[in-house]
Amino acid sequence: MTPLDITTQLLQVLCALALAPAFLGWVNQCRAWLQNRAAPSVLQPYRGLRKLLIKESVLAENASSLFRFAPYIVFGTMVAAAAIIPSMGTGLPMSLAADGIALVGLLATARVFLSLAAMDVGTAFGTLGARREMMVGFLAEPALLMTLFVAAMISHTTSLPLIAAELTNRAPALYPSLAFTAVAFTMVLLAENARIPVDNPATHLELTMIHEAMLLEYSGRHLALMEWAAALKLFNYACIGFALFLPWGTSREAWGPAGLALAAPLLLLKLALAGGALALIETVSAKLRVFRAPEFLATAFLLAVLGLLVHLLLGD
Amino acid sequence: MGFTFSYLNGCLAMLLAWGGIGLAGLVRPRSVEFAGRTLFPLGALCGAALAALAVASLAVPAEQTVLPLGLPGLPFHLRRDALSSAFLALLGATSVGVSLFAAGYFRRGEGTAPGLLCLEYHVFLASMGFVMLADDAYAFMVGWECMALSSYFLVTTQHRIPEIRSAGFLYLLVAHVGAISILLGFGVLQGGSWQFTFDAMRSARLDPAWASAAFGLALFGFGAKAGLVPLHVWLPEAHPAAPSPVSALMSGVMLKTAVYGMLRVCFDLVGAPQWWWGLIVLGLGLGSAFYGVIFAAVQTDMKRLLAWSSIENLGVIFAGLGLAIVFRGSNLAPLAALALMATLYHCLNHALMKSILFLGTGAVLHATGERNLGRLGGLIHRMPWIAWLTLVGVLAIAGLPPLNGFVSEWLLLQSFLFAGRVPESFVNMLLPLGAAVVALCTALAGYVMVKFFGVIFLGQPREPTLAQAPDGGILERLGLLWLALGCLALGVLPVQVIAMLEPVTRELLHLPALSWGSRWWLLAPPAAGQASYGPLALFALTLLVVFIALLALRVSIRQRTRRGPAWDCGFARLDPRMQDTAEGFGQPIRHIFEPFFAMHRELPSPFDAAPRYRVAVGDRLWTLLYEPLAGIVRAAADRAARLQQGRIATYLLYSFVTLIVLLALVL
């Protein structure tokens, strides 16, 4: 564990914390442009967080301590996840402690706590959101795992930095297996981050909502943590995508500090492009009925399994 | 006779002590206080001693002894090796928590008298331990039958309820069909030597066809005990019928004796398993895991839900076992060690976490008198101890880091992932698909557990009577706390646990010692690429972030918190009946996996004065497999009944003919 590794680690976590709301703001801005609306500033999510943080928190009368504690756990797991995804550099001390499978486990922990907290007050919307979130989750989680497995089988390890490093070392060629899983991963990203076509982040009071339904009873600092965690989740998913499908430019241990200096602007560029692509997908697709969401996710799961089969048939 | 200490004698003494405690229950059979306050805690103490002895003896070479008991010329042979020790440790450690809980659990007037219950309970414990120590087929079957019978009596504690009687009968039937199959399996394994000691079976050289026959019989017999689909039907009936501590033991420990038996037969008695056996076990395991979890998701009875979840977990265990057999048969010992470790680890995990959940339902059942999820809710306020301790089990069984369920899932997925070196290429293609099924089942288990915990403990109470529910007593809390701490320890210290269990894989696979961790906190199995998992570091990091967030918010902003009515999007009236019921929460699963369920819906017509909507979910295997089978048995019985005329002359004729035939055979 060199000082550079520790710097990379710290820098990466702080970057994730700082950039995640901006990335969300950027996606919203792109979407507004594409839909011919006046765009809110990229900084809008920060203003929202600040507002929520200073407001008082109103708890429902029968909320238990699980309800109060859940935002911290969800936030904590998302930050921990940000620490193990090689978004800027591959020399991450924390990535020893958690590989790709553990990352999926961490994300599942956040989902379970979010759903349990949503059921805690006992409103119709909360339980409905929790049920739908778990429905999305039980199909999206294995699809994500399969996506990671394809990359893991190509690089013979489940450690994310090693996967990123191994994929960078290879000549930039199109792997058919990775192409399948990239599509699957994009679908999982949309579903897990409550984006169109599975959920609509812009609506409340609609019978089709999932993520927002779970947060309805939260307010003040608890809501701020939940919103921040949601932004971090989107950021994390984008970075998982970069590590698996666009690993070039991630700093290597051998490159020294110069590698980090190169990786940071490259990450910004990738995020900008990914945000634009995400906004485009959301603009051109329509929201699915909730009953159709499992089909969408089953398609993602089958595509990921297909990617695995293609890898096994064609080899590396 | 000189008495020398050996771990085997020590373990045996603990089993005898259990038997003695059980008999002591008969001294004052009607006294709840005597059984509960004295005998059950003593039993827990014996369990702790047994666990300590077993753990200490894991790395000790095998010990054997012959008991001067049994039929003339057929004494009981006993043997303790690493595999026995591992399962004895599981039995002992789980029984501590369950016995402590049981000490506070049993009440007056619940069917069987407490003293008798104490006898049955401790005989059940001792016979499970005896099965794990047996070294000849005779002793094994005696232990196995004692286990089946004592648990049958425990299941039918409330024998005045007809459903419980029929559940008990079904359990007894399946247990005996399985036992016959195991007995036949031993018959094949002795290989013509007519020696029924396990030593003779180890040295018998079976040709592959006979070895496969023995494997098939063992799989059927042990599969019936483990509840593998399609032999699972007894499990969702028997587990809910039994008192909760008994359900915990049956699910947590008794099902593991089947895993023990399979490991004993496949890796020890047969010697060298063939790789294609593993594919069968793997297929059955994955099928059971999937079938179990989707049925668990649609249950409305909390104990039945847990029973189906046991089918799922045993399926996962058998999947790991199958994988280990495939690798062992293909001479890939390091990979086999990884898969076998995942199997053993999951056995331990499941024993602890499923016990927590069953005991938690027991406490809820006693406090509310309600097993139906649709009439519970909001109990976290009234029963905080039970709720939070159950939450540990819930998170563990959902496979979430840093608890123990995730460790075995991680090991299992790693062994699936790096399987690509089996000589048969089509197996190479199939195995990663197994990983997909395991991933799906784990995610579904999360769904099931959110439903289980959310509907029972969270939300608003669905019935007004729940407001008086008392929290569990001190003994109940202690029992659950022990198990929850076990879950946490197994979760954050995998390297130490694996180092303890390693003699088992070494012994079964004839491997040299492997290093499973690069540091004391970092699990890095040799066969798993360069991947590693350090739950302690991950846990510490998450806690650090939580702590910093708490501190930063406290320092930087003036925290104000107010209690108010639930907002609920501005709807004025909030009613407990607006929450999802258990049926409602399971609806997506029912919708997505509809072909697997036998569903019976009753829909109201638009003009009904009192509209009623009802849906019942049944098991298709009942109508597809069991009812035809029962029909055949009944028809055969009817045919056989024609022999019975009721006239004495006919019976005399039968005797005469039999005599003639026998004489003809002898002469």
Side-chain angles (χ1 to χ4, degrees):
Chain A
M1 218 191 291
T2 61
L4 181 66
D5 285 350
I6 296 171
T7 321
T8 314
Q9 181 75 79
L10 277 175
L11 204 64
Q12 208 181 280
V13 173
L14 293 178
C15 247
L17 276 171
L19 280 182
F23 181 53
L24 194 62
W26 168 245
V27 174
N28 288 341
Q29 197 171 45
C30 286
R31 202 162 56 153
W33 285 336
L34 285 169
Q35 295 169 350
N36 274 334
R37 289 187 283 128
S41 155
V42 179
L43 301 179
Q44 193 59 37
Y46 294 103
R47 296 184 189 130
L49 283 182
R50 183 175 160 275
K51 177 190 75 182
L52 290 173
L53 279 173
I54 54 177
K55 276 193 150 188
E56 83 173 338
S57 182
V58 183
L59 291 175
E61 269 143 5
N62 68 333
S64 71
S65 38
L66 185 124
F67 186 79
R68 294 181 76 155
F69 203 52
Y72 294 95
I73 295 178
V74 173
F75 183 73
T77 48
M78 282 305 157
V79 176
I84 57 179
I85 303 166
S87 55
M88 290 171 83
T90 54
L92 299 173
M94 267 316 290
S95 71
L96 276 180
D99 64 345
I101 303 174
L103 173 69
V104 176
L106 268 181
L107 296 173
T109 311
R111 174 172 42 242
V112 165
F113 270 97
L114 187 57
S115 306
L116 287 179
M119 293 181 84
D120 187 55
V121 177
T123 62
F125 282 111
T127 46
L128 173 138
R131 163 171 30 114
R132 288 178 177 171
E133 170 79 3
M134 292 314 288
M135 177 186 82
V136 168
F138 89 76
L139 284 164
E141 187 185 313
L144 177 62
L145 211 49
M146 286 300 111
T147 306
L148 283 167
F149 276 8
V150 174
M153 291 182 96
I154 291 175
S155 47
H156 300 289
T157 176
T158 51
S159 159
L160 284 170
L162 293 179
I163 289 176
E166 171 69 25
L167 290 177
T168 330
N169 280 346
R170 303 194 162 216
L174 187 69
Y175 290 99
S177 53
L178 280 184
F180 274 110
T181 48
V183 178
F185 178 78
T186 313
M187 294 167 88
V188 170
L189 182 145
L190 292 170
E192 282 276 49
N193 289 289
R195 318 301 298 186
I196 291 173
V198 176
D199 192 3
N200 189 349
T203 59
H204 276 258
L205 270 186
E206 200 183 318
L207 278 172
T208 54
M209 66 184 168
I210 302 176
H211 184 75
E212 292 299 323
M214 293 194 290
L215 301 187
L216 278 178
E217 297 302 321
Y218 275 114
S219 57
R221 59 180 187 282
H222 298 126
L223 182 59
L225 281 177
M226 284 294 201
E227 299 273 9
W228 203 346
L232 269 170
K233 189 175 179 188
L234 181 64
F235 184 87
N236 282 341
Y237 264 89
C239 289
I240 298 173
F242 301 150
L244 297 184
F245 308 111
L246 288 172
W248 298 282
T250 317
S251 174
R252 303 306 220 19
E253 279 158 275
W255 297 353
L260 273 185
L262 178 71
L266 259 176
L267 176 65
L268 284 180
L269 182 66
K270 286 180 199 169
L271 283 173
L273 289 176
L278 188 56
L280 188 66
I281 293 174
E282 284 203 84
T283 307
V284 297
S285 46
K287 167 93 179 61
L288 290 173
R289 284 168 63 218
V290 169
F291 294 127
R292 307 301 293 273
E295 289 168 28
F296 178 81
L297 285 160
T299 312
F301 182 49
L302 289 180
L303 275 175
V305 173
L306 209 59
L308 198 69
L309 277 180
V310 167
H311 169 75
L312 291 166
L313 279 173
L314 301 181
D316 295 348
Chain B
M1 194 175 83
F3 183 83
T4 48
F5 176 80
S6 70
Y7 286 105
L8 174 56
N9 288 339
C11 293
L12 200 58
M14 288 308 131
L15 300 186
L16 284 178
W18 266 339
I21 291 170
L23 285 175
L26 294 181
V27 176
R28 291 169 62 188
R30 302 247 155 245
S31 162
V32 177
E33 284 67 35
F34 180 58
R37 304 292 171 266
T38 316
L39 295 178
F40 275 98
L42 270 180
L45 217 57
C46 284
L50 178 68
L53 280 169
V55 168
S57 66
L58 266 163
V60 177
E63 302 156 333
Q64 277 178 310
T65 190
V66 181
L67 285 189
L69 285 172
L71 290 180
L74 269 178
F76 289 145
H77 294 73
L78 297 184
R79 183 167 183 270
R80 186 213 54 77
D81 56 7
L83 181 63
S84 310
S85 288
F87 279 87
L88 283 172
L90 181 152
L91 166 68
T94 313
S95 78
V96 174
V98 178
S99 291
L100 276 178
F101 185 92
Y105 181 82
F106 289 114
R107 309 276 157 89
R108 202 178 302 279
E110 291 194 344
T112 311
L116 201 56
L117 207 63
C118 174
L119 175 68
E120 292 162 5
Y121 178 90
H122 286 101
V123 167
F124 182 42
L125 284 178
S127 57
M128 286 194 284
F130 194 71
V131 165
M132 291 160 193
L133 285 175
D135 197 35
D136 64 69
Y138 177 50
F140 188 93
M141 291 314 296
V142 168
W144 192 261
E145 282 299 298
C146 282
M147 182 175 88
L149 287 179
S150 52
S151 55
Y152 165 75
F153 286 116
L154 285 166
V155 166
T156 53
T157 300
Q158 304 202 339
H159 47 82
R160 289 184 210 291
I161 304 172
E163 286 84 35
I164 288 185
R165 279 203 303 275
S166 71
F169 176 73
L170 182 65
Y171 168 52
L172 202 63
L173 182 71
V174 176
H176 279 92
V177 171
I180 290 170
S181 177
I182 296 170
L183 195 62
L184 291 176
F186 284 137
V188 175
L189 277 171
Q190 51 83 23
S193 67
W194 300 105
Q195 292 287 311
F196 285 90
T197 59
F198 285 179
D199 270 340
M201 292 180 195
R202 282 184 197 104
S203 53
R205 288 278 153 261
L206 293 178
D207 62 74
W210 279 115
S212 303
F215 160 77
L217 287 166
L219 180 63
F220 183 85
F222 292 122
K225 184 58 90 180
L228 289 188
V229 175
L231 298 170
H232 64 286
V233 280
W234 62 273
L235 222 141
E237 306 297 325
H239 280 30
S244 292
V246 176
S247 315
L249 275 188
M250 284 176 72
S251 182
V253 187
M254 189 185 76
L255 300 185
K256 306 304 176 317
T257 58
V259 181
Y260 167 80
M262 274 310 273
L263 285 171
R264 183 61 81 198
V265 168
C266 292
F267 288 92
D268 188 16
L269 300 186
V270 172
Q274 296 167 33
W275 65 266
W276 59 268
W277 299 356
L279 279 192
I280 297 174
V281 177
L282 179 64
L284 281 176
L286 291 175
S288 306
F290 178 70
Y291 203 77
V293 78
I294 57 170
F295 271 85
V298 297
Q299 299 304 311
T300 52
D301 177 311
M302 60 183 176
K303 291 183 78 175
R304 204 174 273 263
L305 180 149
L306 292 181
W308 279 104
S309 153
S310 291
I311 296 176
E312 181 230 336
N313 278 283
L314 263 289
V316 170
I317 290 172
F318 270 74
L321 180 64
L323 206 53
I325 296 177
V326 170
F327 293 144
R328 173 73 176 82
S330 317
N331 291 319
L332 295 165
L335 275 172
L338 186 61
L340 200 57
M341 190 54 81
T343 311
L344 290 171
Y345 215 111
H346 202 67
C347 284
L348 271 179
N349 288 344
H350 182 245
L352 295 178
M353 51 206 190
K354 191 47 70 63
S355 300
I356 294 186
L357 298 183
F358 266 120
L359 298 181
T361 57
V364 169
L365 184 62
H366 258 181
T368 63
E370 197 53 69
R371 248 170 49 185
N372 186 345
L373 289 168
R375 292 164 188 275
L376 293 166
L379 289 176
I380 196 170
H381 300 283
R382 299 290 316 164
M383 310 177 70
W385 274 91
I386 301 292
W388 286 99
L389 289 171
T390 307
L391 182 63
V392 175
V394 161
L395 297 178
I397 207 164
L400 302 177
L403 289 166
N404 56 353
F406 182 75
V407 180
S408 45
E409 185 202 340
W410 191 85
L411 289 169
L412 186 62
L413 286 176
Q414 291 285 0
S415 46
F416 267 114
L417 200 50
F418 296 102
R421 278 167 266 164
V422 180
E424 287 75 18
S425 59
F426 86 96
V427 181
N428 270 337
M429 309 276 286
L430 280 178
L431 290 184
L433 295 184
V437 179
V438 171
L440 182 65
C441 290
T442 318
L444 276 166
Y447 188 101
V448 172
M449 283 303 132
V450 167
K451 166 178 164 172
F452 174 80
F453 190 80
V455 174
I456 298 178
F457 291 106
L458 301 178
Q460 304 173 59
R462 291 181 176 77
E463 297 286 324
T465 49
L466 298 182
Q468 276 85 44
D471 204 358
I474 182 79
L475 283 166
E476 289 166 335
R477 290 177 200 175
L478 270 181
L480 279 172
L481 192 64
W482 165 269
L483 294 168
L485 286 178
C487 278
L488 192 65
L490 285 181
V492 297
L493 298 171
V495 180
Q496 285 70 18
V497 176
I498 287 178
M500 281 198 306
L501 288 176
E502 217 228 330
V504 184
T505 57
R506 238 169 22 206
E507 177 189 88
L508 293 184
L509 300 168
H510 315 292
L511 271 178
L514 298 169
S515 153
W516 288 78
S518 50
R519 304 195 185 96
W520 69 269
W521 52 271
L522 199 60
L523 176 63
Q530 294 160 350
S532 52
Y533 170 57
L536 212 53
L538 197 60
F539 194 33
L541 175 70
T542 312
L543 281 188
L544 185 74
V545 175
V546 168
F547 183 70
I548 291 176
L550 270 169
L551 203 70
L553 287 182
R554 181 141 303 189
V555 171
S556 63
I557 58 168
R558 227 175 64 240
Q559 283 192 319
R560 283 170 304 166
T561 310
R562 182 161 58 86
R563 289 273 175 177
W567 183 52
D568 197 26
C569 257
F571 282 89
R573 204 174 67 93
L574 191 58
D575 193 271
R577 294 183 64 85
M578 289 172 169
Q579 303 172 93
D580 260 16
T581 53
E583 288 91 344
F585 210 89
Q587 187 270 341
I589 304 287
R590 238 173 30 228
H591 187 75
I592 296 169
F593 299 109
E594 196 167 352
F596 292 94
F597 302 116
M599 254 188 288
H600 181 73
R601 280 205 185 85
E602 281 174 28
L603 296 172
S605 88
F607 308 107
D608 271 352
R612 253 182 92 74
Y613 171 80
R614 209 176 71 86
V615 58
V617 179
D619 190 345
R620 270 186 190 282
L621 285 175
W622 262 117
T623 45
L624 291 181
L625 182 64
Y626 283 88
E627 280 173 12
L629 212 61
I632 292 170
V633 170
R634 190 161 296 149
D638 285 343
R639 293 270 163 77
R642 282 190 208 157
L643 288 174
Q644 205 166 17
Q645 302 275 334
R647 260 175 297 174
I648 195 116
T650 323
Y651 294 141
L652 285 176
L653 185 68
Y654 290 155
S655 314
F656 182 66
V657 171
T658 313
L659 222 76
I660 298 284
V661 169
L662 285 177
L663 278 174
L665 277 176
V666 172
L667 292 178

